[in-house]
Amino acid sequence: MNGFIRLMPKFLQTLTPYESPREGISGKTAWLNSNEYPEPTAYAMRFDTLNRYPEVQPRIFCERYATYAGVQPRSVLVTRGADEAIELLIRTFCEPGKDRVLYAEPTYSMYAISSQTCGVSTVSVPQTAAGDVDFNAFAQMLADNARAQSIKLAFFCNPNNPTGEVHAPETVERLLQSMPGDVLLAVDEAYIEFCPTMTTTTLMAKYPNLVIIRTLSKAFALAGLRCGVLMADPEVITCLKKVIAPYPVPEPVAAIAQEALTPKGVALMKERVRRVEANRAYLMGELLRLPGLTRVYDTQTNFVLIALENAANVYQALWKKGIAVRNPGDEKTLRISVGTREECEMLINALGAILKGRNR
Ligand code: PMP
């Protein structure tokens, strides 16, 4: 050991990095741990201009995405996955050691991790006893304490990963009405294609402090592409462009992304959503019949959270049977991505056998 870790700033030395569910996964038969679309999409392309830098922002993709989302192209910023959008917001707007980021547990871990990598402290609203996001406490924190707590940026994951809970735009509007206008509310809509009427894009014109984060990794079936989208007031976009790395969107990424946003690409995405819904209905029905689950969380996404005793042991037992699910880090829950029908059946059979074996 050469002690290079001591070269890192103190606030980074203790960082627990994002635990990628992809790690150690080869050889598993069912990958139900990353909320990806379970089947591949094919794109055949040829590139003759890779000697040149790409466009700073891919114009055709931005225009198509704007049309798809119902916003102006100048409100769209393309990023290296939604993860880059999250980090970029923190880096652009939060002063390390001074401003703070707010989020409500349990939620997507990158809000906390990216804050820490930027040296920015967080305020987290604890989950309720039943394991849900405490929406009222989050709203109250934003409305009454944002200033006192130095909160500059709040993340609101809607639908929420991992609970699946989703709030209607009218409810999100109540947050925006009661919070200070100089605090940014970033609504993470990574899973919005599974419940499109819940989008808050319609609120953007009225609330310039509203930022919306999207991704092509879920319903668009392009997690491997690493393409995310941030939508915001053009002034916010200008601030973010000061900080984003040069040429953030590689040419092949832009080319595939713009194909995914043609009318045909969008129609295929909607077809995929219908297939996920059908498999989810099967999965939910079977989960509700299994003995030993204390709760099957309601969901309008491509994943389902279940609560059970000794979740970590069940996680290991599933892993041994070739099935990878996500253990969000507590002893009580597992998150299962909606796979193909065959993968859902495999999961139900394996989980059923594990739970019945336990009850014997
Ligand atoms: N937000 C949420 C809520 C997510 O679940 C994920 C991915 N699991 C992301 C953002 C990151 O998406 P991307 O693949 O576009 O970086």
Side-chain angles (χ1 to χ4, degrees):
M1 294 289 269
N2 292 313
F4 286 124
I5 195 165
R6 286 199 299 275
L7 289 182
M8 295 176 81
K10 278 243 154 36
F11 67 84
L12 288 181
Q13 289 180 16
T14 54
L15 178 77
T16 309
Y18 181 70
E19 198 190 320
S20 167
R22 283 288 279 129
E23 227 135 295
I25 202 176
S26 66
K28 294 289 144 205
T29 27
W31 299 4
L32 304 178
N33 62 352
S34 296
N35 302 343
E36 299 148 334
Y37 189 72
E39 289 168 314
T41 42
Y43 293 88
M45 283 184 188
R46 207 195 127 110
F47 298 99
D48 296 325
T49 56
L50 291 181
N51 57 317
R52 301 285 176 205
Y53 283 105
E55 285 179 285
V56 172
Q57 280 285 302
R59 188 181 53 82
I60 295 176
F61 175 75
C62 288
E63 284 172 7
R64 286 184 186 167
Y65 200 89
T67 306
Y68 160 69
V71 302
Q72 293 299 318
R74 60 201 186 103
S75 289
V76 172
L77 183 76
V78 189
T79 57
R80 198 190 62 248
D83 282 338
E84 188 187 28
I86 293 167
E87 191 199 78
L88 190 60
L89 280 166
I90 300 167
R91 279 205 293 143
T92 304
F93 291 105
C94 298
E95 192 171 327
K98 181 168 165 260
D99 302 322
R100 301 213 278 177
V101 162
L102 174 72
Y103 59 88
E105 299 274 9
T107 195
Y108 185 46
S109 59
M110 285 309 289
Y111 312 139
I113 294 172
S114 282
S115 298
Q116 198 182 344
T117 61
C118 296
V120 170
S121 306
T122 54
V123 178
S124 68
V125 175
Q127 64 190 56
T128 65
D132 296 293
V133 164
D134 193 339
F135 181 82
N136 292 336
F138 179 75
Q140 200 180 352
M141 178 66 84
L142 263 180
D144 300 342
N145 287 323
R147 286 247 166 66
Q149 295 279 342
S150 306
I151 291 161
K152 186 66 94 46
L153 170 64
F155 286 99
F156 185 63
C157 192
N158 199 47
N160 188 45
N161 175 6
T163 57
E165 181 176 343
V166 61
H167 290 276
E170 300 76 48
T171 314
V172 180
E173 181 163 20
R174 288 214 303 275
L175 287 179
L176 288 157
Q177 274 166 349
S178 55
M179 66 190 277
D182 58 357
V183 173
L184 293 174
L185 181 69
V187 179
D188 185 341
E189 296 191 343
Y191 299 95
I192 204 68
E193 277 79 15
F194 299 103
C195 44
T197 58
M198 297 300 191
T199 184
T200 46
T201 42
T202 43
L203 302 174
M204 277 176 61
K206 196 163 160 200
Y207 300 94
N209 58 329
L210 170 63
V211 177
I212 296 174
I213 297 169
R214 297 273 187 92
T215 179
L216 299 193
S217 296
K218 308 300 173 185
F220 282 96
L222 288 170
L225 193 65
R226 307 306 298 125
C227 185
V229 172
L230 186 150
M231 295 182 284
D233 185 86
E235 211 180 304
V236 169
I237 300 285
T238 303
C239 299
L240 296 166
K241 281 183 173 169
K242 282 177 184 265
V243 178
I244 197 168
Y247 313 109
V249 190
E251 182 88 25
V253 172
I256 291 172
Q258 83 181 39
E259 277 308 297
L261 265 293
T262 57
K264 183 169 164 234
V266 173
L268 284 172
M269 178 277 287
K270 289 183 178 163
E271 179 55 37
R272 268 182 233 118
V273 169
R274 281 194 288 276
R275 251 178 283 154
V276 168
E277 282 167 356
N279 290 339
R280 185 181 68 205
Y282 163 79
L283 181 66
M284 289 290 274
E286 294 298 315
L287 284 171
L288 287 166
R289 270 208 283 272
L290 286 184
L293 300 186
T294 40
R295 182 171 169 196
V296 178
Y297 286 64
D298 201 15
T299 179
Q300 294 188 42
T301 65
N302 66 339
F303 57 86
V304 183
L305 192 69
I306 57 173
L308 68 174
E309 303 263 302
N310 293 325
N313 292 349
V314 176
Y315 171 88
Q316 285 301 338
L318 284 170
W319 183 266
K320 284 202 193 108
K321 288 174 183 277
I323 300 171
V325 297
R326 186 78 156 148
N327 182 356
D330 56 29
E331 264 293 299
K332 295 188 198 121
T333 58
L334 293 177
R335 195 196 67 195
I336 303 162
S337 307
V338 179
T340 59
R341 176 66 185 246
E342 293 70 34
E343 287 170 330
C344 292
E345 285 172 3
M346 204 191 300
L347 180 276
I348 291 296
N349 291 338
L351 186 58
I354 293 163
L355 294 172
K356 278 181 201 131
R358 260 217 248 175
N359 289 344
R360 241 184 256 136

